[in-house]
Amino acid sequence: MSLADFLASRWEDILAVSWWHLRLSLMAVGLALAIGLPLGIASHMNRFAAAVVLNTVSVIYTVPTLALFGLMIPLLGIGVIPAIVAVVLYSLLPVVQNTYTGLANIDPNLREVAVGMGMGRFTRLFRVELPLALPVIFAGLRVAVVNAIGMVTLASLIAAGGLGDFIFRGISIMSWNLVLAGSVPVLAMALGADYVLKRTEQRLSRSREGAAP
Amino acid sequence: MALQVEFRDVTKAFPGTPPAVDRLSLTVEAGTILALVGPSGCGKTTTMKMVNRLIEPTSGDIVLGDTPISQMPVKELRRMIGYVIQYVGLFPHMSVAENIAIVPRLLGWGKARIDARVDELLTLVGLVPETHRARYPRSLSGGQQQRVGVARALAADPPVLLMDEPFGALDPITRVRVQDELLAIQRKVRKTIIIVTHDMDEAIRLGDKVAVLRAGRLVQHQPPVDILRHPKDDFVAELIGHDRLVKLLSTLSVASVMGDAAAPAAAPAIDRTATLEAAFLQMLDTGRDELAVEGGGSLHIRDLLRASTG
Protein backbone atom coordinates (compact mmCIF):
# COMPACT_ATOMS: atom_id res chain seq x y z
CA MET A 1 0.00 0.00 0.00
CA SER A 2 1.37 3.46 -0.87
CA LEU A 3 1.78 6.00 1.89
CA ALA A 4 -0.97 8.18 0.39
CA ASP A 5 -3.44 5.28 0.30
CA PHE A 6 -2.45 4.33 3.83
CA LEU A 7 -3.03 7.85 5.14
CA ALA A 8 -6.35 8.10 3.26
CA SER A 9 -7.64 4.94 4.88
CA ARG A 10 -6.28 5.51 8.39
CA TRP A 11 -6.25 9.29 8.95
CA GLU A 12 -9.08 9.30 11.45
CA ASP A 13 -7.31 6.67 13.46
CA ILE A 14 -4.01 8.58 13.37
CA LEU A 15 -5.69 11.78 14.45
CA ALA A 16 -7.46 10.10 17.36
CA VAL A 17 -4.30 8.41 18.60
CA SER A 18 -2.30 11.65 18.24
CA TRP A 19 -4.89 13.49 20.29
CA TRP A 20 -4.71 10.81 22.99
CA HIS A 21 -0.91 11.05 22.92
CA LEU A 22 -1.00 14.81 23.39
CA ARG A 23 -3.54 14.52 26.20
CA LEU A 24 -1.41 11.98 28.07
CA SER A 25 1.64 14.23 27.73
CA LEU A 26 -0.11 17.39 28.85
CA MET A 27 -1.87 15.68 31.74
CA ALA A 28 1.47 14.38 32.98
CA VAL A 29 3.18 17.78 32.65
CA GLY A 30 0.20 19.47 34.31
CA LEU A 31 0.54 17.15 37.28
CA ALA A 32 4.32 17.62 37.31
CA LEU A 33 3.77 21.38 37.43
CA ALA A 34 1.24 21.07 40.26
CA ILE A 35 3.71 18.99 42.27
CA GLY A 36 7.00 20.50 41.11
CA LEU A 37 6.20 24.19 41.56
CA PRO A 38 5.50 23.88 45.31
CA LEU A 39 8.55 21.62 45.66
CA GLY A 40 10.72 24.21 43.90
CA ILE A 41 9.35 26.98 46.11
CA ALA A 42 9.92 24.89 49.24
CA SER A 43 13.50 24.22 48.10
CA HIS A 44 14.00 27.96 47.71
CA MET A 45 12.69 28.71 51.19
CA ASN A 46 14.40 25.93 53.10
CA ARG A 47 17.92 24.63 52.65
CA PHE A 48 17.09 21.19 54.03
CA ALA A 49 14.15 20.80 51.66
CA ALA A 50 16.42 21.91 48.82
CA ALA A 51 18.98 19.17 49.56
CA VAL A 52 16.35 16.43 49.72
CA VAL A 53 14.13 17.54 46.84
CA LEU A 54 16.80 18.52 44.32
CA ASN A 55 18.78 15.31 44.88
CA THR A 56 15.70 13.12 44.65
CA VAL A 57 14.42 14.59 41.40
CA SER A 58 17.84 14.41 39.78
CA VAL A 59 18.27 10.76 40.80
CA ILE A 60 14.88 9.99 39.25
CA TYR A 61 15.94 11.83 36.11
CA THR A 62 19.05 9.67 35.72
CA VAL A 63 16.96 6.47 35.48
CA PRO A 64 16.64 5.59 31.79
CA THR A 65 13.07 6.24 30.63
CA LEU A 66 12.52 2.70 29.46
CA ALA A 67 13.68 1.35 32.82
CA LEU A 68 11.36 3.77 34.60
CA PHE A 69 8.37 2.37 32.71
CA GLY A 70 9.62 -1.15 33.53
CA LEU A 71 9.84 -0.26 37.23
CA MET A 72 6.23 0.87 37.18
CA ILE A 73 4.92 -2.61 36.33
CA PRO A 74 5.63 -4.28 39.73
CA LEU A 75 4.46 -1.12 41.54
CA LEU A 76 1.36 -0.06 39.63
CA GLY A 77 0.82 -2.66 36.94
CA ILE A 78 0.26 -1.60 33.36
CA GLY A 79 -1.97 0.96 31.65
CA VAL A 80 -2.54 4.68 31.70
CA ILE A 81 -1.94 5.37 35.39
CA PRO A 82 1.58 3.90 35.69
CA ALA A 83 2.47 5.58 32.38
CA ILE A 84 1.39 8.99 33.64
CA VAL A 85 3.16 8.45 36.95
CA ALA A 86 6.40 7.64 35.14
CA VAL A 87 6.18 10.74 32.93
CA VAL A 88 5.31 12.93 35.93
CA LEU A 89 8.33 11.66 37.83
CA TYR A 90 10.55 12.31 34.86
CA SER A 91 9.14 15.81 34.28
CA LEU A 92 9.71 16.88 37.87
CA LEU A 93 13.37 17.72 37.35
CA PRO A 94 13.01 20.52 34.77
CA VAL A 95 10.07 22.01 36.68
CA VAL A 96 11.61 21.85 40.16
CA GLN A 97 15.12 22.75 39.06
CA ASN A 98 14.01 25.78 37.04
CA THR A 99 11.65 27.02 39.74
CA TYR A 100 14.47 26.78 42.24
CA THR A 101 17.07 28.38 39.96
CA GLY A 102 14.68 31.11 38.85
CA LEU A 103 13.94 32.08 42.44
CA ALA A 104 17.58 31.78 43.55
CA ASN A 105 18.88 34.04 40.78
CA ILE A 106 16.68 37.05 41.56
CA ASP A 107 18.73 40.20 42.10
CA PRO A 108 19.30 40.32 45.88
CA ASN A 109 18.82 44.11 45.78
CA LEU A 110 15.25 43.63 44.56
CA ARG A 111 14.57 41.13 47.32
CA GLU A 112 15.95 43.54 49.90
CA VAL A 113 13.83 46.39 48.57
CA ALA A 114 10.76 44.16 48.83
CA VAL A 115 11.61 43.36 52.46
CA GLY A 116 12.49 46.98 53.19
CA MET A 117 9.13 48.17 51.86
CA GLY A 118 7.36 45.95 54.35
CA MET A 119 6.26 42.97 52.25
CA GLY A 120 5.67 39.74 54.14
CA ARG A 121 7.14 36.39 53.11
CA PHE A 122 4.21 35.34 50.92
CA THR A 123 3.38 38.74 49.48
CA ARG A 124 6.99 38.88 48.38
CA LEU A 125 6.81 35.41 46.86
CA PHE A 126 3.67 36.01 44.84
CA ARG A 127 4.09 39.68 43.97
CA VAL A 128 7.83 39.83 43.34
CA GLU A 129 9.77 36.58 43.33
CA LEU A 130 7.56 34.26 41.26
CA PRO A 131 6.80 36.91 38.61
CA LEU A 132 10.53 37.63 38.29
CA ALA A 133 11.34 33.91 38.05
CA LEU A 134 8.54 33.26 35.55
CA PRO A 135 10.66 33.27 32.35
CA VAL A 136 13.03 30.67 33.86
CA ILE A 137 10.16 28.54 35.17
CA PHE A 138 8.56 28.71 31.75
CA ALA A 139 11.76 27.51 30.10
CA GLY A 140 11.65 24.47 32.40
CA LEU A 141 8.04 23.85 31.47
CA ARG A 142 8.97 23.88 27.79
CA VAL A 143 11.68 21.26 28.33
CA ALA A 144 9.20 19.16 30.34
CA VAL A 145 6.53 19.27 27.60
CA VAL A 146 8.93 18.36 24.80
CA ASN A 147 10.40 15.55 26.93
CA ALA A 148 6.96 14.23 27.82
CA ILE A 149 5.77 14.09 24.20
CA GLY A 150 8.78 11.95 23.35
CA MET A 151 8.51 9.82 26.45
CA VAL A 152 4.81 8.99 26.05
CA THR A 153 5.84 7.17 22.84
CA LEU A 154 7.44 4.54 25.08
CA ALA A 155 4.32 4.36 27.27
CA SER A 156 2.87 2.17 24.54
CA LEU A 157 5.11 -0.59 25.95
CA ILE A 158 3.09 -0.69 29.17
CA ALA A 159 -0.22 -0.58 27.33
CA ALA A 160 -1.02 3.10 27.74
CA GLY A 161 -1.66 3.66 24.03
CA GLY A 162 -0.40 6.69 22.15
CA LEU A 163 1.55 6.98 18.93
CA GLY A 164 4.07 4.43 20.19
CA ASP A 165 1.47 1.80 19.32
CA PHE A 166 1.90 2.60 15.60
CA ILE A 167 5.65 2.73 15.77
CA PHE A 168 6.22 -0.54 17.64
CA ARG A 169 3.59 -2.41 15.65
CA GLY A 170 5.10 -1.00 12.47
CA ILE A 171 8.55 -2.19 13.47
CA SER A 172 7.34 -5.67 14.36
CA ILE A 173 5.45 -6.19 11.07
CA MET A 174 7.99 -4.11 9.10
CA SER A 175 5.36 -1.62 7.91
CA TRP A 176 7.15 1.67 7.32
CA ASN A 177 3.81 3.34 6.66
CA LEU A 178 2.80 2.51 10.21
CA VAL A 179 6.16 3.64 11.64
CA LEU A 180 5.82 6.98 9.84
CA ALA A 181 2.19 7.35 10.96
CA GLY A 182 3.48 7.20 14.52
CA SER A 183 6.75 9.08 14.37
CA VAL A 184 5.84 12.03 12.14
CA PRO A 185 3.01 13.25 14.43
CA VAL A 186 5.29 12.84 17.48
CA LEU A 187 7.93 14.94 15.79
CA ALA A 188 5.37 17.55 14.69
CA MET A 189 3.89 17.80 18.18
CA ALA A 190 7.27 18.16 19.83
CA LEU A 191 8.42 20.85 17.40
CA GLY A 192 5.05 22.62 17.57
CA ALA A 193 5.00 22.65 21.37
CA ASP A 194 8.59 23.86 21.48
CA TYR A 195 7.81 26.69 19.08
CA VAL A 196 4.63 27.85 20.79
CA LEU A 197 6.13 27.76 24.28
CA LYS A 198 9.29 29.50 23.17
CA ARG A 199 7.26 32.31 21.64
CA THR A 200 5.25 32.66 24.84
CA GLU A 201 8.48 32.74 26.82
CA GLN A 202 9.85 35.54 24.65
CA ARG A 203 6.62 37.48 24.96
CA LEU A 204 6.80 37.14 28.72
CA SER A 205 10.22 38.73 28.93
CA ARG A 206 9.56 41.26 26.19
CA SER A 207 6.46 42.68 27.84
CA ARG A 208 8.78 44.11 30.50
CA GLU A 209 11.13 45.82 28.11
CA GLY A 210 9.18 48.56 26.46
CA ALA A 211 6.06 50.61 26.71
CA ALA A 212 2.73 49.32 27.98
CA PRO A 213 1.89 45.81 26.71
CA MET B 1 4.39 64.92 58.51
CA ALA B 2 7.91 64.03 59.58
CA LEU B 3 9.31 62.33 62.65
CA GLN B 4 12.57 62.79 64.47
CA VAL B 5 14.98 59.86 64.29
CA GLU B 6 17.24 59.40 67.27
CA PHE B 7 20.08 56.91 67.54
CA ARG B 8 20.71 56.08 71.20
CA ASP B 9 24.08 54.50 71.81
CA VAL B 10 23.63 52.10 68.89
CA THR B 11 26.19 49.37 68.30
CA LYS B 12 26.18 46.69 65.62
CA ALA B 13 28.82 43.99 65.88
CA PHE B 14 29.09 41.15 63.41
CA PRO B 15 30.85 38.11 64.85
CA GLY B 16 34.61 38.03 64.47
CA THR B 17 35.12 41.63 63.30
CA PRO B 18 35.40 45.02 65.00
CA PRO B 19 31.96 46.65 65.46
CA ALA B 20 30.49 47.91 62.17
CA VAL B 21 28.79 50.68 64.11
CA ASP B 22 30.24 51.63 67.46
CA ARG B 23 28.16 53.41 70.15
CA LEU B 24 26.54 55.84 67.74
CA SER B 25 24.38 58.55 69.24
CA LEU B 26 22.91 61.23 67.04
CA THR B 27 19.59 62.90 66.34
CA VAL B 28 18.08 63.71 62.98
CA GLU B 29 15.58 66.50 63.57
CA ALA B 30 12.15 66.08 62.01
CA GLY B 31 11.99 67.44 58.48
CA THR B 32 15.75 67.67 57.93
CA ILE B 33 18.21 65.80 55.74
CA LEU B 34 21.10 63.95 57.34
CA ALA B 35 23.88 62.87 54.99
CA LEU B 36 25.85 59.90 56.29
CA VAL B 37 29.23 59.99 54.62
CA GLY B 38 32.43 58.00 54.83
CA PRO B 39 34.58 55.51 52.92
CA SER B 40 33.51 51.93 52.16
CA GLY B 41 33.10 49.87 55.28
CA CYS B 42 32.70 52.85 57.62
CA GLY B 43 29.29 51.58 58.76
CA LYS B 44 27.09 54.15 57.03
CA THR B 45 24.90 51.62 55.21
CA THR B 46 24.65 49.44 58.33
CA THR B 47 23.57 52.52 60.28
CA MET B 48 20.84 53.28 57.74
CA LYS B 49 19.57 49.71 57.49
CA MET B 50 19.10 49.56 61.24
CA VAL B 51 16.41 52.24 60.91
CA ASN B 52 14.07 49.98 58.92
CA ARG B 53 15.36 46.93 60.74
CA LEU B 54 16.90 45.21 57.77
CA ILE B 55 19.72 44.93 60.31
CA GLU B 56 19.03 44.65 64.04
CA PRO B 57 21.37 46.53 66.39
CA THR B 58 23.44 44.51 68.85
CA SER B 59 22.75 47.07 71.56
CA GLY B 60 21.19 50.50 71.89
CA ASP B 61 17.97 51.60 70.25
CA ILE B 62 16.61 53.88 67.58
CA VAL B 63 13.65 56.06 68.43
CA LEU B 64 11.20 57.23 65.80
CA GLY B 65 9.26 60.20 67.16
CA ASP B 66 8.54 58.87 70.65
CA THR B 67 8.55 55.17 69.88
CA PRO B 68 11.59 52.90 70.00
CA ILE B 69 11.53 50.95 66.73
CA SER B 70 12.21 47.70 68.59
CA GLN B 71 8.70 48.05 70.01
CA MET B 72 6.97 48.52 66.65
CA PRO B 73 5.71 45.66 64.45
CA VAL B 74 8.44 45.37 61.84
CA LYS B 75 6.23 45.39 58.72
CA GLU B 76 4.31 48.40 60.01
CA LEU B 77 7.59 50.19 60.69
CA ARG B 78 8.89 49.50 57.18
CA ARG B 79 5.68 50.70 55.55
CA MET B 80 6.11 54.08 57.21
CA ILE B 81 9.69 54.44 55.99
CA GLY B 82 10.34 55.19 52.33
CA TYR B 83 13.30 53.26 50.96
CA VAL B 84 15.44 54.09 47.92
CA ILE B 85 18.57 52.14 47.00
CA GLN B 86 21.38 52.47 44.49
CA TYR B 87 20.36 51.14 41.05
CA VAL B 88 16.90 52.24 42.19
CA GLY B 89 15.50 48.75 42.70
CA LEU B 90 12.37 49.24 40.63
CA PHE B 91 10.65 45.93 39.97
CA PRO B 92 11.11 45.21 36.25
CA HIS B 93 7.91 43.17 35.96
CA MET B 94 5.73 46.00 37.24
CA SER B 95 4.77 49.18 35.44
CA VAL B 96 5.74 52.56 36.86
CA ALA B 97 2.28 52.93 38.41
CA GLU B 98 2.39 49.44 39.94
CA ASN B 99 5.83 50.11 41.40
CA ILE B 100 4.65 53.31 43.03
CA ALA B 101 1.48 51.62 44.29
CA ILE B 102 3.26 48.87 46.25
CA VAL B 103 3.14 50.29 49.76
CA PRO B 104 -0.33 51.87 49.38
CA ARG B 105 -1.58 48.45 48.28
CA LEU B 106 0.11 46.78 51.25
CA LEU B 107 -1.71 49.33 53.41
CA GLY B 108 -4.99 48.41 51.76
CA TRP B 109 -5.81 51.69 50.05
CA GLY B 110 -8.69 51.73 47.54
CA LYS B 111 -8.00 51.81 43.80
CA ALA B 112 -9.23 55.34 43.20
CA ARG B 113 -7.11 56.72 46.01
CA ILE B 114 -4.03 54.85 44.74
CA ASP B 115 -4.53 56.04 41.13
CA ALA B 116 -4.88 59.63 42.27
CA ARG B 117 -1.79 59.33 44.46
CA VAL B 118 0.30 57.82 41.64
CA ASP B 119 -0.53 60.72 39.34
CA GLU B 120 0.12 63.25 42.09
CA LEU B 121 3.55 61.76 42.80
CA LEU B 122 4.57 61.48 39.14
CA THR B 123 3.77 65.15 38.77
CA LEU B 124 5.71 65.95 41.95
CA VAL B 125 8.87 64.27 40.66
CA GLY B 126 8.53 65.93 37.25
CA LEU B 127 7.15 63.08 35.13
CA VAL B 128 3.97 63.19 33.04
CA PRO B 129 1.39 60.75 34.45
CA GLU B 130 -0.29 60.10 31.10
CA THR B 131 2.93 59.12 29.32
CA HIS B 132 4.82 57.45 32.15
CA ARG B 133 2.51 55.54 34.47
CA ALA B 134 1.97 52.53 32.16
CA ARG B 135 5.60 52.18 31.09
CA TYR B 136 8.02 49.60 32.38
CA PRO B 137 11.21 50.62 34.22
CA ARG B 138 13.56 49.36 31.48
CA SER B 139 12.11 51.78 28.98
CA LEU B 140 13.04 54.75 31.19
CA SER B 141 16.35 56.61 31.39
CA GLY B 142 18.46 56.37 34.55
CA GLY B 143 17.30 59.78 35.76
CA GLN B 144 13.66 58.92 35.14
CA GLN B 145 14.03 55.61 36.99
CA GLN B 146 15.56 57.51 39.89
CA ARG B 147 12.57 59.86 39.97
CA VAL B 148 10.17 56.93 39.98
CA GLY B 149 12.20 55.44 42.84
CA VAL B 150 11.73 58.64 44.84
CA ALA B 151 8.02 58.72 43.97
CA ARG B 152 7.66 55.11 45.12
CA ALA B 153 9.39 55.87 48.41
CA LEU B 154 7.05 58.82 49.00
CA ALA B 155 3.92 56.88 47.98
CA ALA B 156 2.29 56.38 51.36
CA ASP B 157 3.50 59.76 52.65
CA PRO B 158 6.01 58.23 55.09
CA PRO B 159 7.46 60.46 57.82
CA VAL B 160 10.97 59.11 57.15
CA LEU B 161 12.91 58.40 53.96
CA LEU B 162 16.05 56.27 53.70
CA MET B 163 18.22 56.65 50.63
CA ASP B 164 21.24 54.39 50.06
CA GLU B 165 23.61 55.90 47.48
CA PRO B 166 20.52 56.88 45.50
CA PHE B 167 22.35 58.75 42.76
CA GLY B 168 25.46 56.57 42.56
CA ALA B 169 24.60 55.04 39.20
CA LEU B 170 23.88 58.33 37.42
CA ASP B 171 26.26 60.33 35.24
CA PRO B 172 27.57 63.55 36.89
CA ILE B 173 25.27 65.94 35.02
CA THR B 174 22.11 63.94 35.64
CA ARG B 175 23.19 63.43 39.25
CA VAL B 176 23.37 67.16 39.99
CA ARG B 177 19.99 67.69 38.33
CA VAL B 178 18.31 64.91 40.30
CA GLN B 179 19.93 66.20 43.52
CA ASP B 180 18.44 69.63 42.87
CA GLU B 181 15.07 68.04 42.21
CA LEU B 182 15.29 66.13 45.47
CA LEU B 183 15.94 69.39 47.33
CA ALA B 184 12.99 71.01 45.57
CA ILE B 185 10.77 68.09 46.50
CA GLN B 186 12.02 68.21 50.08
CA ARG B 187 11.02 71.89 50.31
CA LYS B 188 7.46 70.75 49.53
CA VAL B 189 7.21 67.52 51.52
CA ARG B 190 9.54 68.18 54.50
CA LYS B 191 10.43 64.59 55.35
CA THR B 192 13.12 63.38 57.68
CA ILE B 193 15.64 61.99 55.20
CA ILE B 194 18.71 59.90 55.90
CA ILE B 195 20.89 59.66 52.84
CA VAL B 196 23.98 57.45 52.61
CA THR B 197 26.77 58.47 50.28
CA HIS B 198 30.52 58.07 49.89
CA ASP B 199 30.65 61.36 48.01
CA MET B 200 31.40 64.32 50.29
CA ASP B 201 30.24 66.80 47.62
CA GLU B 202 26.86 65.11 47.54
CA ALA B 203 26.68 65.11 51.35
CA ILE B 204 27.44 68.84 51.41
CA ARG B 205 24.91 69.64 48.69
CA LEU B 206 22.08 67.64 50.20
CA GLY B 207 22.58 67.50 53.94
CA ASP B 208 21.16 69.96 56.44
CA LYS B 209 23.70 68.19 58.58
CA VAL B 210 26.51 65.87 57.61
CA ALA B 211 27.63 62.94 59.77
CA VAL B 212 31.12 61.69 58.94
CA LEU B 213 31.71 58.08 59.93
CA ARG B 214 34.98 56.23 60.14
CA ALA B 215 35.31 52.58 61.16
CA GLY B 216 31.89 52.64 62.82
CA ARG B 217 32.57 55.79 64.87
CA LEU B 218 30.96 59.18 64.43
CA VAL B 219 33.82 61.59 63.69
CA GLN B 220 31.95 64.82 63.08
CA HIS B 221 28.26 65.74 62.93
CA GLN B 222 27.55 69.33 61.91
CA PRO B 223 25.98 71.49 59.22
CA PRO B 224 28.01 71.39 55.97
CA VAL B 225 29.33 74.94 56.40
CA ASP B 226 30.82 74.13 59.80
CA ILE B 227 32.42 70.95 58.52
CA LEU B 228 33.93 72.86 55.62
CA ARG B 229 35.19 75.64 57.90
CA HIS B 230 36.58 73.43 60.60
CA PRO B 231 37.14 69.83 59.60
CA LYS B 232 37.69 68.02 62.85
CA ASP B 233 40.79 66.11 61.75
CA ASP B 234 42.92 65.15 58.75
CA PHE B 235 40.55 62.32 57.89
CA VAL B 236 37.61 64.68 57.42
CA ALA B 237 39.80 67.22 55.60
CA GLU B 238 40.96 64.51 53.23
CA LEU B 239 37.37 63.40 52.54
CA ILE B 240 36.52 67.00 51.64
CA GLY B 241 39.55 67.34 49.38
CA HIS B 242 42.09 70.09 48.68
CA ASP B 243 39.44 72.52 47.40
CA ARG B 244 37.74 72.74 50.79
CA LEU B 245 37.51 76.55 50.78
CA VAL B 246 36.18 76.68 47.24
CA LYS B 247 33.47 74.27 48.33
CA LEU B 248 32.78 76.47 51.33
CA LEU B 249 32.38 79.53 49.11
CA SER B 250 30.10 77.58 46.77
CA THR B 251 27.93 76.59 49.75
CA LEU B 252 27.38 80.13 51.05
CA SER B 253 25.26 82.78 49.38
CA VAL B 254 26.10 86.43 48.85
CA ALA B 255 23.18 87.39 51.10
CA SER B 256 24.67 85.50 54.06
CA VAL B 257 27.80 87.70 54.39
CA MET B 258 27.14 90.95 52.48
CA GLY B 259 27.30 94.38 54.11
CA ASP B 260 24.68 97.12 54.11
CA ALA B 261 26.92 99.94 52.88
CA ALA B 262 26.37 101.08 49.32
CA ALA B 263 28.99 99.97 46.82
CA PRO B 264 31.09 102.45 44.77
CA ALA B 265 29.25 103.57 41.67
CA ALA B 266 31.34 101.57 39.16
CA ALA B 267 31.27 98.26 41.07
CA PRO B 268 30.01 95.28 39.06
CA ALA B 269 26.64 93.90 40.16
CA ILE B 270 25.84 90.47 41.60
CA ASP B 271 22.61 88.73 42.59
CA ARG B 272 21.99 88.19 46.34
CA THR B 273 21.26 84.49 45.80
CA ALA B 274 24.51 83.87 43.91
CA THR B 275 27.18 81.79 45.65
CA LEU B 276 30.27 83.39 47.15
CA GLU B 277 32.28 81.28 44.68
CA ALA B 278 30.56 83.08 41.81
CA ALA B 279 31.19 86.41 43.53
CA PHE B 280 34.86 85.58 44.05
CA LEU B 281 35.27 84.55 40.42
CA GLN B 282 33.64 87.81 39.37
CA MET B 283 36.11 89.75 41.50
CA LEU B 284 39.01 87.89 39.90
CA ASP B 285 37.49 88.40 36.49
CA THR B 286 36.85 92.14 36.82
CA GLY B 287 39.85 92.96 39.03
CA ARG B 288 37.59 94.69 41.61
CA ASP B 289 37.58 93.95 45.31
CA GLU B 290 34.00 95.09 45.85
CA LEU B 291 30.71 94.14 44.17
CA ALA B 292 27.32 95.88 44.25
CA VAL B 293 24.56 93.55 45.38
CA GLU B 294 21.41 93.93 43.31
CA GLY B 295 18.67 95.47 45.43
CA GLY B 296 21.12 97.31 47.73
CA GLY B 297 24.21 96.55 49.77
CA SER B 298 27.72 95.52 48.83
CA LEU B 299 30.12 92.62 49.04
CA HIS B 300 33.77 93.31 49.78
CA ILE B 301 36.59 90.78 49.54
CA ARG B 302 37.00 91.20 53.33
CA ASP B 303 33.54 89.62 53.65
CA LEU B 304 34.84 86.57 51.83
CA LEU B 305 37.83 86.31 54.13
CA ARG B 306 35.54 86.51 57.13
CA ALA B 307 33.25 83.85 55.67
CA SER B 308 36.06 81.40 55.05
CA THR B 309 37.13 81.36 58.69
CA GLY B 310 33.66 81.73 60.23
Side-chain angles (χ1 to χ4, degrees):
Chain A
M1 208 192 301
S2 78
L3 183 60
D5 291 341
F6 176 82
L7 288 177
S9 63
R10 299 286 299 273
W11 68 270
E12 279 182 312
D13 214 12
I14 296 171
L15 218 57
V17 174
S18 300
W19 173 234
W20 171 244
H21 189 107
L22 190 64
R23 271 176 59 194
L24 272 185
S25 313
L26 293 183
M27 249 188 304
V29 175
L31 280 170
L33 198 62
I35 301 168
L37 207 56
L39 285 177
I41 293 170
S43 306
H44 168 66
M45 288 179 154
N46 179 299
R47 203 172 299 177
F48 178 72
V52 174
V53 169
L54 295 177
N55 281 315
T56 310
V57 293
S58 34
V59 166
I60 295 173
Y61 198 74
T62 55
V63 178
T65 38
L66 197 53
L68 196 57
F69 281 119
L71 284 172
M72 285 299 125
I73 298 174
L75 297 173
L76 295 167
I78 59 169
V80 175
I81 290 178
I84 287 188
V85 171
V87 180
V88 168
L89 285 175
Y90 207 68
S91 308
L92 279 178
L93 180 81
V95 173
V96 172
Q97 182 79 56
N98 280 46
T99 305
Y100 176 77
T101 315
L103 291 172
N105 287 347
I106 291 171
D107 180 352
N109 285 319
L110 290 181
R111 189 171 288 131
E112 191 176 89
V113 168
V115 177
M117 295 178 87
M119 288 194 194
R121 190 71 198 84
F122 286 93
T123 317
R124 199 161 84 230
L125 181 68
F126 288 107
R127 295 264 305 275
V128 175
E129 296 178 336
L130 282 175
L132 286 174
L134 197 59
V136 183
I137 297 174
F138 214 83
L141 184 68
R142 180 166 58 87
V143 171
V145 169
V146 173
N147 267 348
I149 290 171
M151 193 174 166
V152 165
T153 315
L154 294 177
S156 154
L157 296 173
I158 57 169
L163 290 162
D165 282 358
F166 290 156
I167 298 174
F168 290 114
R169 204 177 320 142
I171 291 171
S172 65
I173 64 172
M174 298 215 284
S175 157
W176 306 131
N177 284 341
L178 213 47
V179 170
L180 287 176
S183 50
V184 172
V186 168
L187 188 68
M189 265 189 258
L191 289 175
D194 190 59
Y195 177 77
V196 170
L197 292 172
K198 200 174 242 163
R199 285 293 299 271
T200 315
E201 211 175 302
Q202 284 164 351
R203 250 212 325 271
L204 276 179
S205 27
R206 216 180 15 237
S207 71
R208 299 163 181 184
E209 296 292 339
Chain B
M1 190 197 42
L3 286 176
Q4 170 178 295
V5 179
E6 185 186 354
F7 292 81
R8 286 189 186 158
D9 205 23
V10 175
T11 294
K12 175 66 195 182
F14 295 102
T17 53
V21 176
D22 197 359
R23 284 166 293 155
L24 175 75
S25 291
L26 77 90
T27 300
V28 192
E29 288 93 20
T32 67
I33 301 181
L34 172 75
L36 282 171
V37 67
S40 305
C42 70
K44 54 191 190 294
T45 300
T46 307
T47 301
M48 192 202 71
K49 285 183 180 173
M50 284 191 285
V51 178
N52 62 357
R53 289 178 64 183
L54 288 173
I55 296 176
E56 296 283 356
T58 312
S59 66
D61 208 344
I62 298 167
V63 182
L64 201 67
D66 303 320
T67 322
I69 59 168
S70 55
Q71 284 165 28
M72 303 172 73
V74 67
K75 279 190 227 165
E76 209 170 284
L77 170 77
R78 286 173 181 158
R79 289 170 194 178
M80 57 187 280
I81 297 177
Y83 188 37
V84 184
I85 63 164
Q86 194 179 10
Y87 310 116
V88 197
L90 294 180
F91 296 117
H93 62 292
M94 296 183 191
S95 69
V96 165
E98 287 168 333
N99 264 289
I100 296 175
I102 290 172
V103 177
R105 276 182 66 184
L106 290 172
L107 294 170
W109 290 17
K111 189 181 173 334
R113 188 177 168 202
I114 291 179
D115 289 349
R117 182 66 178 155
V118 166
D119 288 1
E120 182 188 348
L121 284 163
L122 284 173
T123 311
L124 176 72
V125 299
L127 295 171
V128 184
E130 290 73 26
T131 46
H132 289 106
R133 64 184 157 220
R135 291 175 67 176
Y136 282 82
R138 272 179 208 153
S139 71
L140 302 177
S141 71
Q144 289 172 330
Q145 291 187 24
Q146 192 53 60
R147 290 186 194 120
V148 176
V150 172
R152 182 174 71 172
L154 288 169
D157 203 19
V160 177
L161 226 59
L162 304 178
M163 309 183 90
D164 188 1
E165 300 271 7
F167 310 126
L170 300 178
D171 64 85
I173 295 168
T174 311
R175 189 185 311 161
V176 170
R177 208 176 59 223
V178 181
Q179 285 169 346
D180 285 341
E181 284 167 7
L182 178 68
L183 290 172
I185 291 169
Q186 168 69 348
R187 278 193 286 277
K188 290 182 202 152
V189 299
R190 286 283 163 211
K191 301 295 179 190
T192 308
I193 302 179
I194 298 180
I195 187 163
V196 162
T197 177
H198 64 270
D199 177 1
M200 190 53 131
D201 292 348
E202 182 165 271
I204 290 165
R205 279 179 68 83
L206 297 178
D208 293 306
K209 283 194 182 166
V210 174
V212 183
L213 291 179
R214 179 194 199 181
R217 299 269 181 93
L218 183 62
V219 181
Q220 192 168 4
H221 174 217
Q222 277 178 318
V225 171
D226 295 323
I227 289 193
L228 288 170
R229 277 197 185 119
H230 307 293
K232 191 164 178 189
D233 56 18
D234 291 348
F235 172 74
V236 179
E238 206 172 303
L239 267 184
I240 297 170
H242 65 277
D243 54 348
R244 174 172 69 85
L245 292 172
V246 179
K247 283 174 184 163
L248 177 61
L249 291 182
S250 70
T251 308
L252 296 167
S253 70
V254 168
S256 67
V257 297
M258 59 183 264
D260 295 332
I270 186 139
D271 193 274
R272 339 170 28 97
T273 60
T275 65
L276 290 185
E277 183 194 18
F280 182 54
L281 289 175
Q282 196 167 344
M283 288 176 185
L284 291 179
D285 202 30
T286 55
R288 307 291 294 255
D289 60 3
E290 192 163 18
L291 302 176
V293 179
E294 283 165 12
S298 64
L299 182 76
H300 195 272
I301 192 149
R302 278 191 307 271
D303 299 323
L304 298 186
L305 297 180
R306 196 155 30 80
S308 65
T309 52

